Amino acid sequence: MTNLMVKNKPVLISEAWRMLLFLLLAQLLVAFVGRSIGPLGVLIGEDLSLNKSQIGMLPAALFLGQAFASVPAGFLTDRFGSRKLLFISAFFLGLGFLVMTFLGQFWAVLFLVMLGGIGYGSMHPITNRGIIVWFPLNQRGTAMGIKQTGVTAGSALAGLILLPLGAVYGWRIVLLGACILLLISGMVSYMLYRDPPGQMKSNNPTGLVSFYKSMFNMLKNKSLMLVSFSAMGLNGSQMCLNTYLVLFVYEKFGISLVLSGILFVISEVSGTLGRIAWGMISDFLFKGNRIVILLIITVLTAFSSLTVALMSSATFWVLVPIFIVFGFSVSGFNGIWMNLASEIVPPQQAGISSGVSITFGSIGVMLVPPIFGLMVDQTGSFTFGWLFISGLMVLVFFMLSYLAIINKRESKMG
C-alpha cells in the first residue's frame, strides 16, 4: 500500500482518501444551503417583490460574507488545522440561513445571507488545506477536483430538491430543513475527520500583526494576484449562470419553471463532472500544469455565453447541450483554481494563500451578478448580460496568458 510523507511521517494513502470523503461531505452540505440562493432566487424574488438587480444582490451578499471570512479562516486553518473549523463554518452558514427564513424585509435577508457567507467562505480554505496536507502533488488535482464537486453537486441538489419543493411548500420551510441538515452534517464531519499526524502548520505566532503580515506577503505575490484577478471574472460569470439561468430560460423561451430548474441541474452536474475531469486532465495529461486548463476553460466559457446571447428562440432539448458545455467549463474551473492558488506558495501557507485568492474571487461574485441584472433591467433583454460575460472572459484570457509567460520565465531562471 502506498504511503505519503507528512513531516517525515508516513500516512497511508487509503486514509487520505477516507478523509477526503469527510471534506467532500462538509463541502457538499455547505453548498447545498449556500448555493440554494441561485435556484431559489426566482421564488425569493416573487415572495419579496424583487427586481433582477436585487435578485443578483443575494449571491453578492453571500460572497461579501465569504470575502470577509476567507483570509482569516485560511490564517486560522494554517495554525490550528481543519478539524475544529469544519463545524464552526457549518454553524455560521446554517444559523444565518435558518434565521433568514423567518424574515420578510429584503435588507434583513441580505444581512443574514452575508452572515451565512462567513461560514460558506470559510469552508473553502479549510477544506483546501485538508487536501494540500493529505495528498502529494501528483494527486492533488484529482483530489481537489473531487472535493470541489461538492460545490456544484450541492448546488445541483438544491435545484433538484429545494426548487420544486419550494414551488409547492414555499422556499422558507424547505430552506429551514436544509439548514438543520447542514448543522447535523457539520457535527458529523467534526467527529469523523482528523488532521494528518505531524501535519505542517505555520510556525508564525497568532495575532493581528502576524495576520496582516501574512496577508500582505500574499498580496505581493504577482502570480497569486494574477490567479486571483482571473478568478474574479470566472467566479462572477459562474454565479451569473447559477443566478439567472432559471429566470433566463423561463422568461426568454417560455420554458416551464420545472424544466428550467432541470436545465440548472444539468448545468451544475456538468460542472461537477468538469471539476473531476479538469483535475485529472491537469494531473495526468499536463503534469500538474493548471494554467493551460484555465485557458481552455476561459475559451469554452466565452463561446458558450456568446452562443446563449445570440439565441432568439430555443426548445429545452436545444438548450441542453449548450448548458452542458457552459456548466462543464465555468462551473468546472473551481478545483483547478484552488489547486493553483494553493500550490503557488509553500504548503504551510496554503490556507491563507487560498483565502486571499477566494477573497478576490468573492469580489467578482459581488460585482458581476448585480451588473448583469442591472443590464437586464435597463435593456429588458438578457443579451447584453451574456455578451458582458464573454467580454470578461477575453480579459481573463489575457491575464492567464501573462501568468503563463511569468511562470515560464521563472522556471527557466530556476
Side-chain angles (χ1 to χ4, degrees):
M1 186 173 292
T2 306
N3 291 348
L4 63 90
M5 300 297 294
V6 180
K7 206 159 185 173
N8 300 323
K9 295 184 180 181
V11 180
L12 293 179
I13 287 291
S14 59
E15 182 73 0
W17 290 100
R18 190 168 72 89
M19 291 301 109
L20 175 60
L21 290 177
F22 303 131
L23 295 173
L24 176 60
L25 173 66
Q27 194 81 73
L28 176 72
L29 269 297
V30 161
F32 181 62
V33 173
R35 297 286 284 274
S36 66
I37 288 296
L40 291 178
V42 60
L43 300 178
I44 298 173
E46 289 177 356
D47 184 24
L48 302 181
S49 301
L50 307 180
N51 58 34
K52 302 294 188 304
S53 184
Q54 287 174 318
I55 291 174
M57 291 173 69
L58 293 171
L62 179 76
F63 285 88
L64 177 61
Q66 174 171 286
F68 285 142
S70 295
V71 178
F75 179 80
L76 292 173
T77 305
D78 284 338
R79 280 144 185 80
F80 303 114
S82 300
R83 181 170 178 258
K84 293 179 181 179
L85 294 173
L86 283 173
F87 176 72
I88 295 173
S89 176
F91 175 81
F92 265 98
L93 177 58
L95 183 64
F97 274 49
L98 189 150
V99 175
M100 180 186 75
T101 62
F102 294 97
L103 302 177
Q105 297 295 321
F106 175 59
W107 293 109
V109 168
L110 278 183
F111 175 77
L112 269 299
V113 172
M114 185 194 71
L115 180 64
I118 293 176
Y120 178 84
S122 298
M123 188 60 74
H124 293 294
I126 292 168
T127 54
N128 287 352
R129 179 163 166 77
I131 297 296
I132 296 299
V133 298
W134 272 110
F135 290 89
L137 178 63
N138 64 348
Q139 294 181 354
R140 283 180 197 157
T142 302
M144 188 74 79
I146 292 172
K147 192 271 293 184
Q148 286 300 117
T149 62
V151 179
T152 45
S155 181
L157 287 173
L160 188 65
I161 298 171
L162 299 184
L163 178 58
L165 287 178
V168 176
Y169 300 106
W171 67 272
R172 297 176 186 273
I173 187 66
V174 297
L175 186 56
L176 176 65
C179 289
I180 294 172
L181 182 61
L182 170 62
L183 294 173
I184 295 172
S185 75
M187 182 61 71
V188 170
S189 293
Y190 169 76
M191 291 188 297
L192 298 179
Y193 179 80
R194 294 290 183 272
D195 290 309
Q199 68 164 312
M200 293 176 291
K201 294 182 182 179
S202 173
N203 294 321
N204 293 333
T206 57
L208 285 176
V209 174
S210 177
F211 166 70
Y212 284 115
K213 183 178 179 180
S214 298
M215 182 177 70
F216 285 116
N217 282 338
M218 294 297 107
L219 295 177
K220 294 177 183 177
N221 189 317
K222 183 184 292 186
S223 294
L224 179 61
M225 288 299 97
L226 284 169
V227 173
S228 302
F229 283 119
S230 298
M232 286 176 63
L234 285 163
N235 227 19
S237 300
Q238 178 190 355
M239 193 50 57
C240 282
L241 180 63
N242 291 344
T243 303
Y244 293 107
L245 189 157
V246 173
L247 277 169
F248 168 68
V249 173
Y250 180 59
E251 294 185 1
K252 172 78 174 181
F253 303 118
I255 294 174
S256 73
L257 191 60
V258 172
L259 287 178
S260 299
I262 290 175
L263 281 172
F264 173 86
V265 172
I266 289 171
S267 171
E268 289 294 84
V269 169
S270 299
T272 301
L273 297 175
R275 294 185 182 205
I276 299 174
W278 292 125
M280 295 180 69
I281 292 169
S282 174
D283 282 345
F284 301 118
L285 292 184
F286 291 95
K287 309 301 180 184
N289 188 333
R290 321 297 182 191
I291 300 173
V292 66
I293 301 297
L294 288 179
L295 285 167
I296 295 170
I297 287 171
T298 300
V299 172
L300 289 174
T301 300
F303 278 107
S304 298
S305 187
L306 182 63
T307 300
V308 172
L310 299 178
M311 297 183 73
S312 58
S313 62
T315 64
F316 172 83
W317 292 108
V318 169
L319 293 172
V320 166
I322 296 172
F323 284 115
I324 285 176
V325 176
F326 209 159
F328 189 82
S329 53
V330 77
S331 295
F333 93 100
N334 201 279
I336 298 295
W337 164 37
M338 293 292 97
N339 272 119
L340 189 55
S342 300
E343 292 167 355
I344 282 174
V345 299
Q348 61 267 29
Q349 297 176 348
I352 193 167
S353 173
S354 62
V356 167
S357 194
I358 289 167
T359 298
F360 280 91
S362 303
I363 293 172
V365 176
M366 285 185 280
L367 294 177
V368 178
I371 293 173
F372 186 106
L374 183 62
M375 287 181 170
V376 176
D377 285 334
Q378 294 297 315
T379 64
S381 171
F382 283 88
T383 300
F384 289 99
W386 297 120
L387 290 175
F388 172 57
I389 299 301
S390 296
L392 276 180
M393 291 304 98
V394 174
L395 293 176
V396 170
F397 184 87
F398 282 114
M399 285 190 286
L400 290 171
S401 298
Y402 182 48
L403 175 61
I405 293 171
I406 291 176
N407 279 12
K408 187 175 182 180
R409 185 185 306 156
E410 289 179 350
S411 64
K412 286 183 178 179
M413 293 175 61

